[in-house]
Amino acid sequence: MEGQLAAPRWYLIQCKPKQDARAQEHLHRQAFTCFRPTHCVTRLRAGRKQQHVESLFPGYLFIQLDQVNDNWLPIRSTRGVSQLVCFGGQPAAIADELVEDLKQRLTSPLLPEPDLSAGDRVRIKSGNLKELEAIFLAKDGTERVLILLQLLQRQHTLSVPLDSIDKL
């Protein structure tokens, strides 16, 4: 296979605790191509809701490396980096399709949220309670809702994923 150049592959880096962004920044400064999937979360801090960007895979990031042309030695000593993930002493390559799929999912527009108001009747469309009807009470975070379910002659308040209900 002389004369053939290996295409760059994606690998996984384990970062030091809570230093994913630092590792990504310092690797970029060294001209490495990195990908750290992130998402926006709402947290309650000091009685206020605040939006924060967090890693989708805390403690890890993807790095694209060429086995022939890239110098892998500085990676281990980069601030925020703990180690390159290896199996059997060899760096574990990640399928390009996986990384591309992640990138596409993170850039695709989100589905519109159903227009729900307190008191609306909903139907559960997945899980053990599939096809049961309930009453929508309120949102419980960004991806969950509270519903009121009449079951065994009692009313139960449940928190379920937003995408597991349909408005009737």
Side-chain angles (χ1 to χ4, degrees), residues 6-132:
R9 304 278 316 264
W10 287 101
Y11 296 89
L12 196 60
I13 287 185
Q14 183 179 17
C15 302
K16 293 179 180 173
K18 300 185 188 281
Q19 294 191 28
D20 311 2
R22 172 182 275 174
Q24 181 182 22
E25 176 188 346
H26 287 275
L27 287 166
H28 275 296
R29 286 182 183 174
Q30 297 174 58
F32 288 110
T33 302
C34 297
F35 173 56
R36 181 175 62 103
T38 58
H39 63 126
C40 196
V41 295
T42 304
R43 299 257 190 242
L44 193 62
R45 294 222 171 123
R48 291 188 170 151
K49 287 185 179 181
Q50 296 178 345
Q51 296 256 339
H52 293 280
V53 175
E54 293 184 357
S55 292
L56 194 58
F57 306 110
Y60 295 92
L61 63 91
F62 298 95
I63 186 167
Q64 194 172 38
L65 298 168
D66 184 328
Q67 288 185 337
V68 177
N69 298 321
D70 286 331
N71 181 4
W72 295 38
L73 293 176
I75 294 172
R76 281 191 348 189
S77 60
T78 299
R79 291 185 72 182
V81 171
S82 177
Q83 64 184 350
L84 196 62
V85 176
C86 296
F87 293 103
Q90 294 296 316
I94 307 295
D96 291 342
E97 296 79 26
L98 174 72
V99 176
E100 292 307 317
D101 186 46
L102 276 170
K103 285 181 177 181
Q104 183 178 0
R105 285 177 186 254
L106 293 173
T107 57
S108 65
L110 299 174
L111 296 173
E113 289 187 15
D115 184 29
L116 293 168
S117 301
D120 286 347
R121 298 195 57 73
V122 295
R123 175 173 285 127
I124 302 170
K125 62 182 183 179
S126 63
N128 293 337
L129 304 173
K130 186 176 181 179
E131 298 303 320
L132 292 179

Side-chain angles (χ1 to χ4, degrees), residues 124 129 132 134-138 140 144-151 155-161 165:
I124 302 170
L129 304 173
L132 292 179
I135 296 172
F136 174 78
L137 294 176
D140 183 21
R144 297 188 70 80
V145 294
L146 291 174
I147 60 171
L148 184 63
L149 182 66
Q150 181 77 24
L151 191 63
Q155 291 185 340
H156 303 274
T157 302
L158 301 174
S159 176
V160 298
I165 62 168

